[in-house]
Amino acid sequence: MTEDAQAFYGRWARLYDLLATRTPGIVTLRRQAALACRLEPGDTVVEMGCGTGANLPYLREQVGPEGTVIGLDFTRGVLERARVATAEYDNVHVVRADATQPPIPDEDGVDAILATFVVGMLAEPARAVDQWCDALAPGGHLVLVNAGRSERWYAPPVNALFRGVVALSTPPTTRLRYDRDLSGQLDRKVRDAHDRLRARASAVAHETHAGGVVRLTGGRIE
Ligand SMILES: C[S@@+](CC[C@H](N)C(=O)[O-])C[C@H]1O[C@@H](n2cnc3c(N)ncnc32)[C@H](O)[C@@H]1O
């Protein structure tokens, strides 16, 4: 999955960037995600799987010029776009690393971690959530944003659209893509990650967007 995902996102970086920045409603969602990190000016925030950097300007708005924003991703192609998009800020850094082994020293716990549309790509999403919680300073916030099947009464057409988007946006060479229950697998991973965050957090905020397809969970970790 790891190499397939890097090849896929590297190849489609430009198209992904358009979707990540121009999809109707996406700017509001990214601002909400940055706000849910509950940052103060001067704080340090890490985004896991930052892709082309679509969240980084909103995180930078929250920490101000004296704070630090670190975007981390393992795909070179998307990181190049993220670097260009944030070149005007000297306190926004883009790093190539594996989000499941984040290079954050224990003693340097960060104030917040954000991961949008990432945990569904990980082999062990709940384990990654544990690692991210452990990388926070006491009282820090972890925020997850993901798409999953809607549970609303008008869900069938929304979920049909969701299944199509999942099939198109899953790297074509992965076994996952040929699984008959692709969106079900993604759903389970997302649920595992959000449930683990709820279990670890002392205070939780939860919102849904886009007809119940997009879920935002934020938690304070002591
Ligand atoms: C669907 S994109 C989301 C990008 C961005 N967070 C956004 O909201 O636009 C998923 C990103 O996660 C990255 N990714 C997936 N698994 C990763 C891992 N283990 N370590 C680092 N990056 C990872 C991919 O390279 C890709 O850029």
Side-chain angles (χ1 to χ4, degrees), residues 16-27:
Y16 183 80
D17 192 36
L18 280 176
L19 286 174
T21 53
R22 307 276 170 88
T23 300
I26 196 77
V27 168

Side-chain angles (χ1 to χ4, degrees), residues 70-189:
I70 299 165
L72 185 154
D73 201 291
F74 64 14
T75 303
R76 280 186 212 281
V78 294
L79 282 178
E80 276 156 27
R81 299 193 81 83
R83 271 197 194 103
V84 171
T86 57
E88 66 187 286
Y89 307 120
D90 58 10
N91 60 338
V92 179
H93 310 281
V94 174
V95 178
R96 184 162 187 246
D98 187 341
T100 62
Q101 294 165 27
I104 304 173
D106 285 351
E107 62 277 15
D108 294 352
V110 295
D111 300 296
I113 291 178
L114 172 65
T116 60
F117 309 111
V118 174
V119 293
M121 297 180 62
L122 306 179
E124 296 179 272
R127 186 163 176 269
V129 166
D130 277 334
Q131 286 174 308
W132 299 344
C133 288
D134 295 343
L136 288 168
H141 287 82
L142 173 60
V143 176
L144 303 177
V145 176
N146 289 97
R149 284 186 290 204
S150 174
E151 286 160 9
R152 306 239 173 116
W153 62 267
Y154 51 79
V158 175
N159 286 339
L161 183 66
F162 171 65
R163 281 196 296 278
V165 172
V166 172
L168 286 174
S169 60
T170 299
T173 47
T174 60
R175 207 163 49 80
L176 183 63
R177 186 168 188 177
Y178 299 105
D179 196 292
R180 279 191 305 140
D181 188 22
L182 191 58
S183 57
Q185 277 209 37
L186 177 70
D187 231 17
R188 279 189 286 280
K189 288 185 176 212

